[in-house]
Amino acid sequence: MQNFKKFIGSFSFDGKLVESDIIGSIAHTKMLIKTNIISANDGKKIVFGLMSILKDLKKGWKIPEEEDIHYAVEKELIRRIGIVGCRMHTARSRNDQVATDLRIYLKQEISNIKDLLTTFQKIIVRKASKNIDVIMPGFTHLQPAQPILAAHHLLAYAWMIQRDKERLDDCYKRTDILPLGSAALSGTSFKIDRWYVAKILNFKSISENSLDAVSDRDFAIEFVFCVSLIALHFTRFCEEIILWMSPEFGYISIGDKFTSGSSIMPQKRNPDCAEVIRGKSGRIFGDLIAMLTVLKSLPLAYNRDLQEDKPPVFDALDNIKLCIKVMNEMIDSLKFLNAKTLKSTKKGFIAATELADYLARNGIPFRVAHKLIKDIVLYCRENSKMLNELSIEEYNKFSPIFKKDIFEYLDVKNIINTKTSYGATSKQAIMRQIKNIKRKLR
Ligand code: ARG
């Protein structure tokens, strides 16, 4: 093929659509038969020819190169069944055809991604249940803030991914609209039956405006956006895995195969998988910007620019599937080093809020209590003491309200147990959370 033809074509990157293209063409042909636009005899030959191509593709046969995958299939059909194959393209254009193919393809892939994400959530729930008693510091500003259950932290990701799945469901709704029958841009004078095609191809509805239908890629942009958010959520988790694995934190270990050594430093176990997932977000966000930019300022209806939708969509899709699969295995291998996480709660005065609450519950206005505890923490810092190392006499120097029971309030386990509000970190609240996410996963 000439370089120029290659340049305007898309064969090098639209091959993934071949099955969707053939399935779409079979449905279109059946409709042409039903509406007597072509004879049943001709139609059967076309369907037979298309099926034979599909069968050979499944055996590993490669379709000869053409300008794009749609031409390639049509050319091959005509090569196989002769001139009758030329009737297939009646009452349609590559413009409505390619839009249809991409929708068929993405509908399937949305389901595939959702399945992978459900596996992720199930692994999280299992980990959370198994580690229900592991205590660790919760952070804000990456500074120790308040003690939490590690399960609580893990489950936060299950809920993020739940929203991602719901977003994909929403994207699916707008992908589930059939553009075929819009032809090049203005529809067709043939008496076609678009609903019949929709039924065969399992589309919920058909597009209302042929100009819009052939030039709309909103569904694809939305899809890449949904993927971008999944990638973004994973970067947050991976960042934490990387931090938690460092000796400074030492909160977790992950399976050896998810790390790699250094070519020069023999002691290293680097969290490469987590880093690659974090890094993949860069190209996925780039795919989103590419999609937005291709569509920007594009006059109606179809323009060849739209062909450039496929590389970013497929890139985002392929990479997110890889990332989810690796993530699932990596999280499955995660182990909490609970002695270390518990020890870490001793740092950073993370019981300070409880002391302020203690005073507030005993009549001191919260802002006043807050100031008082701030002073106590300062006193501890100056005297290199922890909150539970002060005597009751020292506490009483700051306020007579402190009683001996104050020390119960400093115990991290007790602190966690008191956090019983809906969605909070007590074991009881976490159990409810697990029950609720499990219900979503049913
Ligand atoms: N390869 C094209 C694409 O991917 C197919 C549609 C071409 N249509 C046209 N009028 N040139 O968008």
Side-chain angles (χ1 to χ4, degrees):
M1 198 183 282
Q2 299 153 318
N3 280 344
F4 162 73
K5 260 216 149 163
K6 249 191 179 43
F7 177 70
I8 62 162
S10 51
F11 191 83
S12 62
F13 53 76
D14 65 8
K16 281 177 187 291
L17 293 179
V18 67
E19 237 182 78
S20 310
D21 193 75
I22 292 174
I23 291 167
S25 286
I26 291 173
H28 178 69
T29 305
K30 285 184 177 167
M31 184 277 290
L32 293 177
I33 299 171
K34 181 188 176 250
T35 52
N36 295 316
I37 294 170
I38 63 171
S39 73
N41 205 19
D42 287 350
K44 270 185 201 153
K45 284 181 189 151
I46 295 172
V47 172
F48 176 81
L50 289 169
M51 302 272 259
S52 78
I53 297 174
L54 198 57
K55 227 167 90 191
D56 289 348
L57 284 167
K58 286 195 168 145
K59 279 192 218 145
W61 168 78
K62 294 264 180 294
I63 199 160
E65 176 165 359
E66 274 301 322
E67 184 189 310
D68 60 23
I69 195 63
H70 323 290
Y71 266 157
V73 170
E74 195 177 347
K75 261 261 178 88
E76 179 61 22
L77 177 73
I78 294 164
R79 200 186 63 75
R80 289 187 184 205
I81 66 167
I83 190 81
V84 59
C86 294
R87 295 193 187 279
M88 175 176 71
H89 209 55
T90 316
R92 78 170 184 193
S93 140
R94 272 185 304 157
N95 299 352
D96 56 345
Q97 188 181 350
V98 67
T100 302
D101 292 359
L102 191 56
R103 286 173 186 264
I104 294 172
Y105 190 80
L106 284 188
K107 277 173 60 178
Q108 182 56 50
E109 290 295 351
I110 287 173
S111 304
N112 293 344
I113 293 177
K114 278 188 63 193
D115 287 346
L116 288 171
L117 292 176
T118 299
T119 304
F120 171 85
Q121 290 174 301
K122 286 182 176 163
I123 293 169
I124 291 284
V125 168
R126 214 184 318 127
K127 281 279 146 185
S129 310
K130 217 180 136 200
N131 292 282
I132 194 80
D133 292 312
V134 175
I135 292 171
M136 64 179 268
F139 296 87
T140 64
H141 313 267
L142 205 55
Q143 303 289 321
Q146 293 176 341
I148 57 169
L149 289 182
H152 197 41
H153 197 115
L154 285 180
L155 286 164
Y157 287 101
W159 291 108
M160 276 179 236
I161 294 300
Q162 182 59 28
R163 291 197 294 280
D164 291 334
K165 281 167 58 184
E166 287 166 14
R167 233 183 312 275
L168 282 169
D169 285 338
D170 220 53
C171 173
Y172 188 94
K173 279 190 226 154
R174 280 176 289 278
T175 308
D176 199 12
I177 300 168
L178 178 74
L180 203 64
S182 302
L185 75 163
S186 66
T188 174
S189 54
F190 287 101
K191 300 283 171 279
I192 57 173
D193 184 345
R194 297 187 60 205
W195 276 108
Y196 183 68
V197 181
K199 207 147 96 229
I200 299 176
L201 291 176
N202 194 27
F203 274 90
K204 184 134 188 266
S205 64
I206 60 177
S207 57
E208 296 285 343
N209 181 312
S210 58
L211 292 173
D212 180 35
V214 293
S215 63
D216 170 26
R217 294 292 182 276
D218 296 0
F219 66 98
I221 297 179
E222 243 184 292
F223 172 74
V224 180
F225 174 72
C226 293
V227 168
S228 296
L229 264 190
I230 298 166
L232 183 148
H233 290 147
F234 278 178
T235 66
R236 300 184 72 174
F237 203 176
C238 284
E239 176 84 8
E240 293 184 324
I241 288 168
I242 293 162
L243 283 174
W244 291 354
M245 269 182 69
S246 76
E248 275 71 18
F249 279 82
Y251 287 3
I252 57 164
S253 71
I254 56 169
D256 222 35
K257 68 173 173 185
F258 304 101
T259 68
S260 83
S262 153
S263 56
I264 173 169
M265 297 165 283
Q267 86 282 14
K268 295 274 271 181
R269 283 329 297 166
N270 298 326
D272 295 60
C273 281
E275 290 172 307
V276 171
I277 295 172
R278 191 175 57 176
K280 289 264 189 210
S281 66
R283 65 191 287 169
I284 292 174
F285 299 166
D287 293 330
L288 177 59
I289 295 295
M291 287 296 289
L292 290 168
T293 313
V294 166
L295 268 289
K296 179 189 170 292
S297 314
L298 211 59
L300 296 182
Y302 180 86
N303 300 267
R304 191 57 88 97
D305 316 41
L306 287 171
Q307 177 169 284
E308 287 295 320
D309 61 353
K310 277 167 271 316
V313 170
F314 293 151
D315 184 73
L317 171 66
D318 292 345
N319 279 293
I320 203 66
K321 285 203 306 197
L322 278 176
C323 288
I324 307 172
K325 283 180 195 160
V326 173
M327 195 72 176
N328 286 354
E329 281 196 53
M330 184 168 67
I331 300 307
D332 204 28
S333 78
L334 184 151
K335 287 195 177 70
F336 279 99
L337 308 174
N338 47 357
K340 192 75 197 280
T341 56
L342 186 65
K343 196 168 160 214
S344 191
T345 63
K346 307 271 187 286
K347 285 187 232 166
F349 307 101
I350 68 175
T353 316
E354 310 316 307
L355 292 185
D357 286 351
Y358 177 94
L359 292 179
R361 229 176 270 115
N362 286 291
I364 310 272
F366 184 78
R367 277 288 158 241
V368 177
H370 183 276
K371 168 78 180 57
L372 228 147
I373 304 301
K374 208 173 161 184
D375 292 341
I376 296 179
V377 169
L378 193 67
Y379 173 85
C380 285
R381 283 208 171 105
E382 279 162 0
N383 294 281
S384 303
K385 284 185 170 180
M386 298 199 292
L387 286 170
N388 60 356
E389 289 171 346
L390 299 187
S391 65
I392 188 68
E393 290 75 24
E394 283 170 299
Y395 272 111
N396 287 145
K397 266 190 243 157
F398 290 91
S399 166
I401 289 182
F402 289 118
K403 297 280 158 343
K404 271 233 166 81
D405 65 346
I406 187 69
F407 295 103
E408 284 162 36
Y409 289 81
L410 295 172
D411 179 80
V412 281
K413 215 171 178 176
N414 289 344
I415 294 172
I416 287 170
N417 278 338
T418 61
K419 300 287 162 61
T420 52
S421 59
Y422 198 92
T425 204
S426 71
K427 190 166 169 176
Q428 171 203 342
I430 300 284
M431 298 304 265
R432 182 170 49 208
Q433 209 185 127
I434 288 175
K435 208 175 82 200
N436 288 345
I437 192 90
K438 273 189 177 164
R439 196 173 299 143
K440 297 264 186 201
L441 297 182
R442 236 179 261 145

